[in-house]
Amino acid sequence: MPKAILLSKKDKNKNSTSPLQQISVDDDSAELIKLINITKTYNLGKPNAFAALKGITLEISKGTFTAIMGPSGSGKSSLMNILGALDVPTSGTYLVNGKEVNSLSDSQLADFRNKTVGFIFQQYNLLPRLTVAENVLLPTLYGSISNPLDKMEELLSKVGLQDKINNKPNQLSGGEMQRVAIARALMMNPSIIMADEPTGNLDTRTSVEIMNLFNEIHKEGNTIILITHEDDIAAHAETTINIRDGLILNE
């Protein structure tokens, strides 16, 4: 399997048909994600301007598991937001399979976020009034897949929550809520999984269980990009990229 490298390499293949034909992840090229001299400055042109990213260049190959590590304020979350098309860079180029993400329309960006990328967050981001099943099905409100109910049941079985299908989030433990979030992230068959501190609110035993789930997902071919500040979590990845003060330090 190709490894992520610095000037590194990227992600994986895409399985659901999308109107976003200009960013198809179905081709056979090894490179998926490429960043060229990406910068991000907040409050640009103001006295309190802050440069969060200062010229990031990297590549990630399809099917790799990459951890991005750094202390608080290092720029790792800003980098993740750009990779997930949740934010735009101040300057630089972001390519997925050779196509520029920042040239997409708003509707195409929404489609990219819904179908190409699955997001997992530290705070789970589950809707409290919805059941486990309804939370997992949420992405299908913005895009279609075949047999969504069967897919939802399959994913909940995969993460060990088939008996919690009608529970609400307040009836779950932290580890169970993160499992729901993982199932939701996989619902649209994304090629890229982006996880921002997914074990940050979990105890050690539960963190190990969640990371074992990530390992299983990776073995199935998904590209995983994981943000963490913990060495033992980053150790699950094939490649670790260290970032500090908005710059990549080493691989």
Side-chain angles (χ1 to χ4, degrees):
M1 177 180 295
K3 285 198 52 105
I5 60 172
L6 230 217
L7 253 225
S8 153
K9 289 195 168 175
K10 272 201 177 173
D11 192 10
K12 154 156 181 59
N13 58 3
K14 182 168 182 176
N15 28 32
S16 60
T17 303
S18 164
L20 240 189
Q21 294 301 330
Q22 55 266 66
I23 294 196
S24 167
V25 254
D26 281 334
D27 64 41
D28 295 326
S29 62
E31 175 192 290
L32 178 61
I33 297 169
K34 186 173 186 177
L35 301 182
I36 304 170
N37 201 28
I38 290 288
T39 71
K40 180 64 183 180
T41 301
Y42 297 98
N43 302 316
L44 186 65
K46 298 181 180 179
N48 60 341
F50 172 70
L53 299 175
K54 302 172 183 176
I56 298 291
T57 296
L58 64 85
E59 301 173 8
I60 297 176
S61 294
K62 293 180 181 181
T64 55
F65 189 165
T66 301
I68 300 174
M69 285 195 68
S72 178
S74 63
K76 61 185 187 298
S77 291
S78 294
L79 180 57
M80 177 67 86
N81 287 339
I82 289 171
L83 288 169
L86 299 173
D87 199 359
V88 296
T90 303
S91 65
T93 302
Y94 174 23
L95 303 172
V96 174
N97 268 11
K99 305 299 182 182
E100 191 163 357
V101 173
N102 292 339
S103 67
L104 301 178
S105 67
D106 288 344
S107 62
Q108 289 170 333
L109 281 171
D111 197 63
F112 173 79
R113 289 189 290 261
N114 189 49
K115 294 184 176 180
T116 302
V117 182
F119 294 97
I120 301 164
F121 300 99
Q122 180 177 347
Q123 302 296 336
Y124 321 126
N125 290 4
L126 304 181
L127 296 187
R129 295 186 180 182
L130 300 186
T131 65
V132 164
E134 291 166 338
N135 268 287
V136 174
L137 285 166
L138 269 177
T140 65
L141 295 178
Y142 308 99
S144 61
I145 59 170
S146 59
N147 303 313
L149 294 179
D150 290 343
K151 177 72 173 179
M152 174 269 294
E153 292 177 355
E154 172 193 333
L155 288 171
L156 287 176
S157 177
K158 180 176 185 173
V159 300
L161 292 179
Q162 60 271 31
D163 59 339
K164 306 281 187 179
I165 192 167
N166 293 315
N167 286 41
K168 299 286 183 67
N170 64 2
Q171 298 172 306
L172 304 176
S173 67
E176 288 171 335
M177 285 192 283
Q178 195 59 289
R179 288 172 182 268
V180 176
I182 290 171
R184 180 184 60 193
L186 294 171
M187 189 66 197
M188 301 302 291
N189 300 313
S191 55
I192 307 168
I193 300 296
M194 295 190 183
D196 191 355
E197 300 280 6
T199 61
N201 287 339
L202 306 178
D203 60 37
T204 301
R205 180 183 62 81
T206 307
S207 294
V208 170
E209 293 173 354
I210 292 298
M211 291 312 301
N212 286 339
L213 256 181
F214 277 107
N215 290 336
E216 291 175 19
I217 294 166
H218 176 232
K219 288 176 183 177
E220 292 174 1
N222 290 83
T223 301
I224 298 176
I225 302 172
L226 175 105
I227 293 283
T228 185
H229 64 275
E230 301 176 82
D231 289 329
D232 57 333
I233 299 301
H236 288 264
E238 296 171 311
T239 298
T240 298
I241 295 172
N242 291 286
I243 184 169
R244 185 182 293 271
D245 298 327
L247 294 167
I248 289 176
L249 299 181
N250 53 32
E251 184 183 359

